[in-house]
């Protein structure tokens, strides 16, 4: 049974109109109608609400319709993309911050009588910024290409 049929069947079992179901899901009646006619699919958030309302598993809803399963998989990747992108951006910015700190300290040591020492390993200060910026930039680029393919 495809999703449209499953939704219509479950709604009918509860004795709800399309309007009543729409109110419970906070969507328009036209949206429910399109889902039941197979013209459109709900978002993953709505699928979860439908699952809860009818007491069926998400698996039952998704396995009934291959196209809906593909849509949900694509949506989940889109939801994961911003979080992963954010992580790579933070890595890049951390590397950039290390570079700015090191250059700032070196500049202060040159133009003032201060002798500020960079604490920690020289490898950290010499390569930390490079690794952070390259890792963040490359990771972000790979993620962007992967996202375009999906």
């Amino acid at each position: 049974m495809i999703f449209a049929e499953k939704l219509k069947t479950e709604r009918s079992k509860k004795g709800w109109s399309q309007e009543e179901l729409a109110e419970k899901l906070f969507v328009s009646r036209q949206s429910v109608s399109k889902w039941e006619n197979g013209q459109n699919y709900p978002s993953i958030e709505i699928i979860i609400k439908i699952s809860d309302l009818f007491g069926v598993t998400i698996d039952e809803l998704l396995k009934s319709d291959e196209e809906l399963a593909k849509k949900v998989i694509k949506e989940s990747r889109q939801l994961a993309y911003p979080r992963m992108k954010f992580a790579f951006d933070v890595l890049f910015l951390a590397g950039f911050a290390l570079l700015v700190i090191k250059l700032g300290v070196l500049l202060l040591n040159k133009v003032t009588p201060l002798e500020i020492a960079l604490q920690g390993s020289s490898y950290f200060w010499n390569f930390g910024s490079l690794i952070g910026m390259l890792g963040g930039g490359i990771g972000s680029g790979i993620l962007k290409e992967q996202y375009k393919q999906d």
Side-chain angles (χ1 to χ4, degrees), residues 40-97:
N40 202 351
Y41 291 109
S43 68
I44 185 64
E45 292 88 4
I46 300 295
I47 292 170
I48 292 168
K49 287 180 184 178
I50 290 170
S51 167
D52 290 342
L53 278 175
F54 295 134
V56 296
T57 64
I58 294 171
D59 190 48
E60 289 176 81
L61 295 172
L62 295 181
K63 280 190 174 178
S64 66
D65 195 318
E66 188 176 322
E67 190 154 333
L68 177 59
K70 287 178 185 176
K71 179 186 184 289
V72 168
I73 290 168
K74 184 177 181 182
E75 271 187 23
S76 67
R77 287 184 181 147
Q78 289 174 341
L79 292 173
Y81 174 77
R83 289 188 294 256
M84 291 174 61
K85 175 84 168 86
F86 177 75
F88 284 122
D89 289 346
V90 167
L91 181 61
F92 179 85
L93 290 174
F96 184 75

Side-chain angles (χ1 to χ4, degrees), residues 2-147:
I2 63 171
F3 175 79
E5 294 169 355
K6 181 84 171 160
L7 180 62
K8 193 171 191 174
T9 301
E10 292 297 327
R11 180 180 60 77
S12 296
K13 281 183 190 176
K14 293 278 190 182
W16 296 338
S17 67
Q18 287 182 342
E19 184 70 37
E20 290 171 314
L21 178 58
E23 287 175 12
K24 293 177 187 313
L25 296 173
F26 303 104
V27 298
S28 67
R29 186 206 55 79
Q30 291 82 359
S31 293
V32 173
S33 176
K34 286 180 180 180
W35 301 337
E36 288 186 356
N37 291 322
Q39 296 173 348
N40 202 351
Y41 291 109
S43 68
I44 185 64
E45 292 88 4
I46 300 295
I47 292 170
I48 292 168
K49 287 180 184 178
I50 290 170
S51 167
D52 290 342
L53 278 175
F54 295 134
V56 296
T57 64
I58 294 171
D59 190 48
E60 289 176 81
L61 295 172
L62 295 181
K63 280 190 174 178
S64 66
D65 195 318
E66 188 176 322
E67 190 154 333
L68 177 59
K70 287 178 185 176
K71 179 186 184 289
V72 168
I73 290 168
K74 184 177 181 182
E75 271 187 23
S76 67
R77 287 184 181 147
Q78 289 174 341
L79 292 173
Y81 174 77
R83 289 188 294 256
M84 291 174 61
K85 175 84 168 86
F86 177 75
F88 284 122
D89 289 346
V90 167
L91 181 61
F92 179 85
L93 290 174
F96 184 75
L98 284 175
L99 179 64
V100 168
I101 291 168
K102 181 177 179 178
L103 292 175
V105 167
L106 291 174
L107 182 66
L108 279 174
N109 286 342
K110 280 280 191 206
V111 297
T112 66
L114 297 173
E115 283 298 322
I116 301 171
L118 294 171
Q119 298 295 320
S121 169
S122 64
Y123 289 114
F124 173 75
W125 288 105
N126 290 331
F127 297 109
S129 60
L130 176 69
I131 291 169
M133 290 171 58
L134 279 175
I138 291 170
S140 184
I142 291 171
L143 185 63
K144 185 177 178 182
E145 287 302 314
Q146 178 86 25
Y147 183 69

